Amino acid sequence: MTDRTRDELISDCVHCGFCLPTCPTYVLWGEEMDSPRGRIQLMLQQSQGEPLTPTMAGHFDACLGCMACVTACPSGVRYDTLIEQTRVQVEEAVPRGRADRLLREAIFALFPYRSRLALAKAPLRAYQLLGRPFRSVLPAALATLADLAPPVRRSLPLPALIPPVGPRRARVALLTGCVQHAFFPGVNAATARVLAAEGCEVVVPPGQGCCGALSVHSGRQEEARRFARALVDTFTATDVDYLVVNAAGCGSSLKELGELLPDDSRAAALSLRVRDLSEVLVELGPAAPRHPLRLRIAYHDACHLGHAQGVRAQPRRLLAEIPELVLHEIPEAEICCGSAGIWNILNPGPASELATRKATNVLSTGAEVLVTANPGCLMQIASGLSRAGTTLRLAHTAEVLDASIRGVNLPRSGS
């Protein structure tokens, strides 16, 4: 991302305040130390010799990492680089309380592993069918996880090779992800169908694992590198034009593989081929006919797609190409929904406030469907809409495109 020193990056901040109205924690609490410029001030104090205290670490932990401040900053401050570096220091130097430590270890013992997520689906399904009246006796974090999870569906593995419809225009690999694979199998299936319909030969390596995004965003650098190295081994062997990603957080991290693994030239080469689904489809241009979808939709920019990757126009362009579909913009679009990787599990109270705020803004558009491109956002906004007592539908961008190309009704997300 940059070869500049940490002190140089810190000095770029002129404390103008343009970041304040875009920062979720500042919007919630109005506390200077829970704003980007406040956290940068803490980083400056630390670089000048102040110890990294638990209080200071708490302000860093409270950051969602949504990168809305990076978009808003007129001075080009690389807050994304600064907060990732700082989180590594927090993980290495600041002891956590027992409950917090155990919760984090449990999260990272589960989410990056497909086989463990698969095992967790059975008790979750039982809870969804029978156990909700007993929610009050569950530990808070477990209750939060259970409430966020979508209805459990059987994961049907995709074929290792999916041929294109018509002449081959590109050969691509598909990252099927961890949470996406376990809880939104319909999104991966829709992604593969859309790519094939647009003339892509789709390679789906069956042995692929976690990309390391959750670990990167939480300061667990060595763990992230271990996952990333395995992924590089898997996808370097695929001989493809692009590595297509349909989860914003994963795509953001994979585009920075070269920075995470600077000693591996294959990582830098692979990162140059990483594309969000919408980027690939816009670059190729439409080949498959679009059938009308008489829907009013609201499009939500996932933070790690809009702010971190700068991918905003492409999804909107793809949706606008669907006949009879009407696209609505969401007020306060720059404010995160509160998902932010595992932030909503670690901070369920403020995450709920942000989800409710996002749900209120979505409902104000009058849309029938909320569309976004990240599984965490789908789950988080669904929780906010549920608390608002609405049955508004949610869908991934790939599912909307798939329904239009096939001329079928839009399913519930992941079905």
Side-chain angles (χ1 to χ4, degrees):
M1 288 186 288
T2 177
D3 293 325
R4 302 175 66 213
T5 67
R6 180 177 174 80
D7 285 347
E8 289 173 335
L9 295 175
I10 289 172
S11 69
D12 285 339
C13 179
V14 298
H15 303 279
C16 66
F18 277 89
C19 59
L20 299 183
T22 70
C23 175
T25 49
Y26 186 81
V27 166
L28 286 180
W29 305 324
E31 294 288 341
E32 178 69 14
M33 290 301 101
D34 287 312
S35 73
R37 72 178 184 184
R39 293 182 180 109
I40 289 174
Q41 181 63 31
L42 293 176
M43 295 173 194
L44 176 61
Q45 294 173 16
Q46 181 195 355
S47 74
Q48 293 174 340
E50 289 287 331
L52 181 54
T53 64
T55 299
M56 193 183 290
H59 293 297
F60 296 136
D61 281 343
C63 174
L64 285 81
C66 69
M67 306 309 155
C69 57
V70 176
T71 299
C73 182
S75 301
V77 176
R78 294 307 305 266
Y79 180 83
D80 51 346
T81 302
L82 286 169
I83 193 64
E84 281 195 5
Q85 292 174 350
T86 301
R87 283 192 160 143
V88 173
Q89 295 174 355
V90 169
E91 284 298 305
E92 291 176 347
V94 180
R96 300 189 183 278
R98 183 173 183 272
D100 186 21
R101 186 178 70 255
L102 290 176
L103 175 57
R104 289 171 184 267
E105 290 303 321
I107 288 169
F108 285 98
L110 174 63
F111 283 104
Y113 300 95
R114 287 187 176 192
S115 59
R116 298 175 191 176
L117 282 172
L119 291 174
K121 289 170 68 174
L124 177 59
R125 176 62 173 163
Y127 171 81
Q128 291 176 343
L129 290 174
L130 305 169
R132 292 191 189 276
F134 305 102
R135 183 189 186 281
S136 60
V137 302
L138 292 176
L142 191 57
T144 299
L145 276 171
D147 289 345
L148 285 169
V152 173
R153 299 179 175 92
R154 188 160 58 100
S155 294
L156 298 175
L158 294 170
L161 184 65
I162 301 168
V165 176
R168 190 178 87 173
R169 305 167 71 199
R171 177 178 161 89
V172 305
L174 176 60
L175 181 82
T176 52
C178 302
V179 172
Q180 193 89 286
H181 172 79
F183 294 106
F184 295 93
V187 172
N188 282 336
T191 301
R193 285 194 296 265
V194 169
L195 287 167
E198 296 291 22
C200 295
E201 182 179 49
V202 184
V203 180
V204 188
Q208 61 180 285
C210 178
C211 67
L214 282 181
S215 303
V216 166
H217 300 151
S218 299
R220 301 166 69 97
Q221 191 174 65
E222 288 309 311
E223 181 180 76
R225 285 173 173 163
R226 187 173 72 251
F227 287 133
R229 286 191 183 98
L231 200 78
V232 169
D233 290 341
T234 297
F235 282 98
T236 298
T238 57
D239 186 26
V240 294
D241 302 309
Y242 302 113
L243 169 51
V244 178
V245 186
N246 59 13
C250 300
S252 174
S253 287
L254 288 173
K255 287 181 177 180
E256 297 174 355
L257 274 173
E259 285 74 41
L260 183 62
L261 300 174
D263 58 339
D264 190 339
S265 61
R266 300 175 307 153
L270 183 61
S271 71
L272 296 176
R273 287 182 281 158
V274 175
R275 298 288 190 279
D276 180 70
L277 170 67
S278 64
E279 292 180 287
V280 169
L281 296 178
V282 166
E283 186 172 331
L284 289 174
R290 268 55 169 173
H291 297 88
L293 288 178
R294 295 186 179 89
L295 291 173
R296 300 187 309 276
I297 72 165
Y299 178 75
H300 164 70
D301 287 290
C303 293
H304 275 88
L305 190 60
H307 296 309
Q309 298 183 58
V311 176
R312 295 184 183 84
Q314 295 93 327
R316 289 172 170 81
R317 177 173 167 180
L318 293 169
L319 293 168
E321 290 172 349
I322 297 175
E324 300 187 32
L325 184 144
V326 179
L327 177 63
H328 295 272
E329 295 296 337
I330 302 170
E332 293 189 327
E334 72 282 359
I335 301 293
C336 182
C337 67
S339 175
I342 62 170
W343 195 87
N344 53 354
I345 304 170
L346 298 173
N347 304 274
S352 177
E353 291 183 61
L354 290 171
T356 298
R357 188 183 188 114
K358 182 64 69 175
T360 300
N361 283 321
V362 169
L363 293 172
S364 75
T365 67
E368 303 167 85
V369 184
L370 183 281
V371 178
T372 191
N374 194 56
C377 298
L378 285 169
M379 291 187 286
Q380 178 71 0
I381 298 174
S383 72
L385 291 168
S386 176
R387 282 190 296 273
T390 180
T391 56
L392 188 78
R393 298 165 66 192
L394 292 94
H396 190 284
T397 313
E399 294 174 303
V400 181
L401 295 170
D402 180 50
S404 176
I405 289 171
R406 293 198 292 151
V408 300
N409 291 329
L410 181 66
R412 295 267 175 191
S413 182
S415 62

